[in-house]
Amino acid sequence: MHKDDLVAYWLDTADRDYQTTKHLYDSGDYHWSLFMGHLVIEKLLKAILVACQPEGTSVPRSHDLLLLAEKGRIGMTQRQKDLLDLTTTFNVAARYPDYQQTFYRKCTRVYTAERIAEIEELRTWLIGLLKKC
């Protein structure tokens, strides 16, 4: 797949996942909403890796958002690093039964709304970076 096609793929699927994040929140599926929010950020980071790095740079098969940002040589504030680390936990907590029940109880409407606001902050930042590639 050509570089532009890969970037378009990551952006398109990130956008669809962002819409799903909002729909899941609206329906009360808070933990799944945060899981999808993680995917939004992961896909934007992968788009940056493809778009901003030399042709042929491989995209790690990882869900660790901070690792992906570091591989993309993205300059980050400590707050952004912390948000990436926190958002990464939504991937594991929503998927694995030993974490799922604890995470499910944690994901109140208020908690989820606050985390989605942070995901939106990361999303806006990453889209801005992508436009500079």
Side-chain angles (χ1 to χ4, degrees):
M1 195 179 280
H2 188 268
K3 183 175 182 171
D4 292 340
D5 294 330
L6 278 172
V7 172
Y9 165 77
W10 290 121
L11 285 174
D12 181 54
T13 59
D15 187 53
R16 281 190 270 140
D17 290 350
Y18 179 65
Q19 296 308 314
T20 302
T21 298
K22 294 191 299 185
H23 291 306
L24 287 167
Y25 176 79
D26 290 342
S27 71
D29 290 321
Y30 302 131
H31 68 296
W32 287 118
S33 177
L34 292 176
F35 173 78
M36 291 304 294
H38 167 273
L39 289 178
V40 170
I41 303 306
E42 179 181 330
K43 290 174 179 183
L44 289 173
L45 286 166
K46 289 179 177 182
I48 290 171
L49 273 164
V50 172
C52 301
Q53 298 303 313
E55 187 79 36
T57 299
S58 64
V59 176
R61 291 183 179 234
S62 175
H63 306 293
D64 183 329
L65 302 179
L66 186 55
L67 172 75
L68 292 171
E70 289 169 348
K71 291 278 185 190
R73 297 185 184 111
I74 296 172
M76 298 168 278
T77 66
Q78 187 59 50
R79 174 173 165 68
Q80 289 164 330
K81 289 178 184 179
D82 293 343
L83 290 177
L84 290 172
D85 270 340
L86 176 62
T87 304
T88 295
T89 67
F90 304 153
N91 178 53
V92 173
R95 293 173 69 188
Y96 297 102
D98 47 338
Y99 295 101
Q100 203 170 41
Q101 288 304 312
T102 302
F103 184 59
Y104 182 80
R105 286 189 294 276
K106 186 179 193 176
C107 292
T108 64
R109 183 172 185 81
V110 171
Y111 177 84
T112 304
E114 291 170 353
R115 302 299 74 81
I116 288 176
E118 293 166 344
I119 288 167
E120 289 172 348
E121 177 185 329
L122 289 170
R123 179 178 175 266
T124 300
W125 167 59
L126 294 172
I127 291 170
L129 289 178
L130 190 57
K131 290 177 181 177
K132 294 177 183 177
C133 291

